Amino acid sequence: MKIKLVSIPVDNQEKALEFYTEKLNFVKKIDIPVGDGNRWLTLVSGEEQDGPELLLEPSPKDFAPAKIYQKALFDAGLPYTQFDVSDVEKEYERLAALGVEFSVKPTEMGTAKLAVFNDTCGNHIQLVEIL
């Protein structure tokens, strides 16, 4: 058993595609129209293009419970998911220079260092570096 795909709800797929590719250096893998202006839109890490795919899920638009859950997490400042990085400080500096807004600057917590940013699509995302 292995992880092939994980999804993240986004309030605008095109805006999410731009943010995740231009700021986070993800690469578009699959982009198929599925009706009502929605797409099966997956990305992969630019560093691991054969790795798991991230589905930019338009569920808040089409499924009210997902919208409520996503908003509740965002309003509480809780990350929807996390991405591992080798150097949180370096990634924080790179992203901040690109205008990415952080709610938590690089912070050591035990055996990890983390930072949290707004993905502009309704989610907080946590960056994690294992120390």
Side-chain angles (χ1 to χ4, degrees):
M1 190 176 306
K2 62 183 177 178
I3 296 171
K4 173 69 177 156
L5 182 132
V6 292
S7 64
I8 185 167
V10 296
D11 56 20
N12 180 309
Q13 284 184 304
E14 193 58 40
K15 184 178 174 185
L17 176 62
E18 182 180 321
F19 181 86
Y20 279 76
T21 57
E22 294 181 12
K23 308 278 187 187
L24 304 184
N25 296 327
F26 280 76
V27 176
K28 181 168 58 170
K29 183 155 186 178
I30 299 173
D31 189 354
I32 302 170
V34 292
D36 289 333
N38 295 322
R39 297 144 69 181
W40 184 264
L41 180 57
T42 70
L43 310 174
V44 291
S45 167
E47 298 174 16
E48 190 178 8
Q49 294 187 27
D50 291 327
E53 295 174 48
L54 179 67
L55 173 65
L56 300 178
E57 178 76 52
S59 58
K61 175 180 159 188
D62 298 321
F63 188 58
K67 183 176 186 174
I68 292 166
Y69 177 67
Q70 181 185 23
K71 184 175 179 347
L73 284 178
F74 188 86
D75 290 347
L78 297 173
Y80 191 88
T81 195
Q82 73 177 37
F83 299 138
D84 289 353
V85 295
S86 59
D87 186 331
V88 165
E89 200 73 46
K90 182 177 175 184
E91 197 63 23
Y92 166 79
E93 294 296 333
R94 184 185 78 78
L95 292 173
L98 292 172
V100 174
E101 295 180 16
F102 281 80
S103 56
V104 177
K105 293 182 179 178
T107 305
E108 279 195 36
M109 298 190 126
T111 60
K113 186 183 278 190
L114 60 90
V116 178
F117 66 86
N118 178 345
D119 77 351
T120 74
C121 305
N123 305 291
H124 291 292
I125 305 294
Q126 182 168 280
L127 299 177
V128 175
E129 170 190 355
I130 302 303
L131 302 174

